[in-house]
Amino acid sequence: MIRLIWPGLAARRSSLTGSFLALALGVALCAAAGAALVAALDPPGDRPLWYATPDVVIAGPDRAGGRGEPGNAVLPPGERGHLPPGIPARLAALDGAGRMVVDMAVYARLDGVAEAHPWSAAALHPGVFLAGGPPRTDGQVVLPAPTARRPGDQVTVATADGPRRFVVSGVLDTPAPQSLYVADATAARLAHGRIAAVALFTPSADADAVAARARVALADRPELRVLTGESRRSAHPDPDAGLLLVATTLLGESAAVACLVSAFVVAGAFTFTVAQRRREFGLLRAAGATPRQIRRLVLGEALGVGVLAGLAGCALGAAIAEPFARRLAAAGLAPPGFTVRITPWPMAAAFTLGVVVAVVGAWRAARRAAAVRPVEALRGAAVERPAMTWVRWLAGLACLAGIVPIIPLMRTPEGAAYLLVVVLLLILAGAALAPAVVPLLVRTLTVAVRGPVRVLARESALAAVRRTAATAVPVLATVGLAGASLAGTATLSAAQALGARDHVTASAVVIPAGAAALPDPAAATAERVPGVTAAVRIKQTFAYDRDDRMIRQHAAWYVDGAAAARVLRLPVTAGSAAGLTGDTVAVSQSLAEAHGWRVGTKAALWLGDGALVLPRVVATFRDRLGLPAVLLPWTTLHEHSSVPLPDALYLALAPGAERAVEDAVRPLGGTLTSTGKHLSTVDAEFDTLSRLALLAIVGMAVVYTAISIVNVQLMAAGERARELAMLRLAGATPRQVLLIVAHEATLVGVAGGLLAGGVTAATLTAVTAALSPLVSAVPIVVPWAPLLATSAGCVLVALLTSLACAVPAAHLPSRLRSQVSCRWRP
């Protein structure tokens, strides 16, 4: 039986071409995604760049929940943990500690550089002066090369404490990440006591032994990291970590969709071909083949397709990985200069995944082929068997039921990810139920049709249910994925924007002008302007809590608690946000109920720097869109943020005070804008990123649609040829035959689009059900233009493919045409 596999593949190469192409593309995407993931998690270079010369580095936490704890969470991009003030003294007492450098990282922006360190930290990596020398006074700064500045130039550096004037003392050329260097006393003052890391030089001692002693000395602080060797690289955060996360997430989602659609194509292809080969399997059974051998034959063919497609996909993935990485960087979805490296294990994983998808996709078809009985197959080989089975009904209903527990999860910060899960479940349900639903749609669309061409097109679509469903399902998958994802994401974003507008009562907002951030004194400057009654600083971050299994991430704001009520409408249920100062916190009602927190009790939270804090709850408020789950006092910002600066100032001001506020904040790098415009800009930035990611996934799905439809038409070509030839012999002209095929293809494509419309409607229903408790109204947003364009493209692909396959059969040879004495007229 195994000897029949390769001849069978060669004989059916045209019908298996679609499966081969789908799997090859899926493997290529998975290989490229794996290569990108390796590049993101393990950037090139064996040695660290910033902490290149010390032997041991002690750094703060890089995750919330503690290292080694189950379900901990990586800190948000741009944040880093810090060391408590007493740690350097402990480390200085270690045997063999050697020379120590206390490193501090402070916000300081100039010419694209966003960080400053003490001059003593220059010893942590190699460097050579191109001009000038080190800073010797409080007002001097060293700039990294390349720069147009020269020693003696005066520069204005944006710091957390406001703009500061410095004199350039030197220009340093170093392979380390770009940073400004200031005097040690200046860095300590700007850092407000935050220590980024402690570096130990141990030339006369074993670095591993010193590291072991450091771990013992810091046993009471397990969240702190003692790093040696290549691991020292992680002590300096990657500024591109956020974009790397976006790139890997996009590639991972694309690879997941590719695997899912590949399984669709393979399953559809093998199900269709098994239905066509019932006579062949019946003859094999009559010749003595066992059901197990028939099953092995079908799975062997799937394995052969998977192996060939896996090899081709790995080659294609290796070829497209680097151009694809450059394209992601150009679109702003990856850091500038993002590159990938081709390594063996992503290719091996992608190849294995392709083979598994092929075998799993063909498993159900193999079982159906093995169930063929000799007499049954010989007697009914020409009759199409029922397409809907109890397995399809159960699978479709199970997918629909699986949506119910996911709906509440769409209220979380990861709501967009859960939305994609809902969309995929709805598409799976539609694909499983398509043989039952598509004929109903065809009948509904053709209830009033007249004329032989349209009637025959309808009856052909209804008679060949498998072919009709197999053509409609790819349209469903592509249009449903595009429509439901784009509409669901747009509705989520619109609801967030509406919630923010419901709860932000500020008259105007001061935001940073350009790339610089607002300095902390900007609020006091704005408050001194006549007509300004409140200037509330807002900084968005994340806070974390632990449930029974893992760390959960929640949106959080640092705010000026006493004045927050003047610019925010907080739906407080207990306590008062006015007490939000010092070691306190205000939390949402759902978060409080999850832990049994009440006003006056202590809450356990990890903040953005990975530090565990136990603040006292001073208020709880209702869960609403547009508001975070955690409100933190502004007075604790310097202790727990690498960038202790406001994202915006929310102002309450009298009419006519706008010009004075604008003039006051402009020297500090701020600009005044209306509250509505500010919120719209934030929404637009989020929408642009989400739309780019979704369009990349949808574009990939359109390619799969074309492959799947072509695959179905190629497999059905032989069967359709006999049908169309009979029409020609009955007197139909070639034009009439092609019109029948065109009407049928259009009808099936429109039916698939309507089924996708149902998926979109169900998705919006789920989004509305999830968000209704959190917002006054859920605005439904449907992006009609891309939805209609995608639908039209899918119908056009189905139409052109059907016509291309029908043209040979529509033109009979002249010897057969001469035998037809009559002409069929509509």
Side-chain angles (χ1 to χ4, degrees), residues 157-375:
V157 178
T159 72
D161 297 332
R164 288 199 51 169
R165 299 284 293 177
F166 285 91
V167 176
V168 177
S169 67
V171 177
L172 186 70
D173 184 21
T174 173
Q178 288 202 328
S179 171
L180 306 178
Y181 300 88
V182 295
D184 287 14
T186 305
R189 185 165 54 255
L190 293 175
H192 295 273
R194 284 177 56 94
I195 300 175
V198 173
L200 302 179
F201 293 82
T202 60
S204 60
D206 182 5
D208 291 334
V210 173
R213 297 187 195 106
R215 292 187 183 97
V216 173
L218 303 175
D220 60 326
R221 304 300 300 262
E223 74 277 9
L224 303 184
R225 296 173 292 155
V226 180
L227 308 172
T228 59
E230 296 178 9
S231 64
R232 291 171 295 164
R233 183 173 53 204
S234 65
H236 192 273
D238 186 354
D240 295 326
L243 282 177
L244 286 175
L245 179 61
V246 171
T248 53
T249 301
L250 172 60
L251 288 171
E253 291 178 352
S254 300
V257 173
C259 290
L260 179 64
V261 181
S262 298
F264 266 156
V265 175
V266 172
F270 276 90
T271 299
F272 199 76
T273 193
V274 164
Q276 289 181 321
R277 295 166 62 189
R278 292 185 64 82
R279 188 186 302 273
E280 174 191 336
F281 293 140
L283 290 172
L284 288 173
R285 292 282 286 115
T290 65
R292 181 170 177 269
Q293 289 174 320
I294 298 293
R295 185 166 57 248
R296 288 172 60 191
L297 173 63
V298 176
L299 291 178
E301 291 178 356
L303 180 62
V305 173
V307 169
L308 295 176
L311 294 174
C314 286
L316 179 62
I320 69 172
E322 185 59 34
F324 193 35
R326 289 197 299 267
R327 186 64 181 170
L328 286 175
L333 297 174
F338 179 60
T339 58
V340 299
R341 304 191 311 277
I342 305 302
T343 53
W345 78 260
M347 298 298 161
F351 175 83
T352 304
L353 187 60
V355 173
V356 170
V357 167
V359 174
V360 170
W363 182 262
R364 176 64 184 166
R367 289 179 60 86
R368 294 193 64 168
V372 172
R373 294 178 297 176
V375 175

Side-chain angles (χ1 to χ4, degrees), residues 584-627:
T584 60
V585 68
V587 296
S588 66
Q589 198 165 0
S590 63
L591 185 57
E593 291 173 354
H595 297 281
W597 297 338
R598 298 182 305 278
V599 173
T601 62
K602 293 283 188 177
L605 294 169
W606 285 267
L607 301 186
D609 63 345
L612 175 63
V613 295
L614 302 172
R616 180 174 53 88
V617 177
V618 295
T620 60
F621 51 89
R622 286 193 299 273
D623 296 81
R624 305 297 289 175
L625 282 180
L627 289 178

Side-chain angles (χ1 to χ4, degrees), residues 422-491:
V422 169
V423 173
L424 293 178
L425 285 175
L426 285 170
I427 291 175
L428 286 172
L433 302 175
V437 178
V438 170
L440 295 177
L441 293 174
V442 169
R443 289 190 178 92
T444 303
L445 291 170
T446 59
V447 67
V449 299
R450 298 292 183 270
V453 169
R454 294 181 178 85
V455 170
L456 284 174
R458 177 188 65 190
E459 296 305 319
S460 177
L462 293 175
V465 176
R466 290 186 186 277
R467 184 180 68 220
T468 302
T471 306
V473 165
V475 180
L476 155 70
T478 298
V479 181
L481 182 63
S485 299
L486 292 174
T489 303
T491 299

Side-chain angles (χ1 to χ4, degrees), residues 110-111 131-132 139-143 147-157 164-171:
L110 174 68
D111 297 338
Q140 291 185 327
V141 62
V142 172
L143 305 185
T147 179
R149 317 274 189 176
R150 290 294 178 263
D153 290 351
Q154 290 193 346
V155 295
T156 301
V157 178
R164 288 199 51 169
R165 299 284 293 177
F166 285 91
V167 176
V168 177
S169 67
V171 177

